[in-house]
Amino acid sequence: MRSRRTITVVGCHAGGEIGNVVVGGVLPPVGATVFEQMQTLARDDSLRRLLLREPRGSVAVHANLIVPSTRPDCDAGYIIMEPTEYPAMSGSNTICVATVLLETGMVEMHEPETTLRLEAPAGVVEVRATCHDGKCESVELTNVPCFADRLDAELDVDGLGAITVDVAFGGMWYAIADAHALGFSLEPSEARDLARVGEQIRIAAREQLPCAHPENPEIAGVSIVQIAEPWQGVGAVSKNAVVVAPGRLDRSATGTGLSARMATLQARGEMNVGDTMTHASVLGTTFDGRIVSETTVGDRPAIVPAIRGGAWITGITQVIVDPTDPFPEGYLLSDTWPGPDSQQ
């Protein structure tokens, strides 16, 4: 075996969504903040391509690079890499990162509860992990402030016609559509059609419903779509399907999606501080959410949400690049990776 590069990766999933964690073999990118480090990584993009594209990855894989925090009040930083973007925040990935940090001993575990602060590109995330017998049993993260941008916005979608969506920031920019209005019951057998329709909505929303974070305008544009059943009420379980570009279902209930949903419900007066709800994925896995407090982002009313879920380590691997490998940054094919990028 010959290798010009070796990267150590801890495999992990939260609610079925793969959120692998890079713990060795990559130096921290240049930048005064984790957000700037993310931008440096994105400009090069070779690490994301190596880890997420075939033959080493797939369209269903995310990866998180652990970096030293640039803030003295945080235990670690992390950069999230998803199939087509570098999101500023991700709930399932954060749960995976916290679980790996604690279960591998990178951050000392305290039982029955460990508290830590992580620096995501979007800002500081507070984490409370329930721990027992060396296992991180669940993670509750306090997300960055989230808010509704538009409610019941009209959207003309190719192949669907006119629909209405909510646009909200949950750490990522979401368009939220009504599953029943689109004819979905959110069953596993609908996965392919959900992915197709969700990607159509995303493309239309990016063109017709521009949005930008008021405190960081570089976080802009709808990049993810939630197809949700009608809300079932405070404390109840509501089903949803989140479609990740370039057109596949998030396997988890999606923490940023739950945060965005609670922001829209609070904006409508249907949820208040202290209220809880649970989102279930098409697989049936769940994340619990609650509204911790109200705040503002710029001049916009916002909420601080908390999300609770669990993650499981699946293995430890060393990813290598043989100097003679014809695919050092992988490849894309349209059978699993739809869209124009599949020709790269």
Side-chain angles (χ1 to χ4, degrees), residues 218-239:
E218 294 184 77
I219 304 175
V222 169
S223 65
I224 195 163
V225 170
Q226 181 182 135
I227 300 174
E229 75 172 359
W231 186 53
Q232 301 300 298
V234 171
V237 178
S238 299
K239 293 172 68 176

Side-chain angles (χ1 to χ4, degrees), residues 324-341:
T324 65
D325 192 323
F327 303 112
E329 293 187 9
Y331 57 83
L332 307 178
L333 286 176
S334 60
D335 61 336
T336 59
W337 200 295
D341 287 347

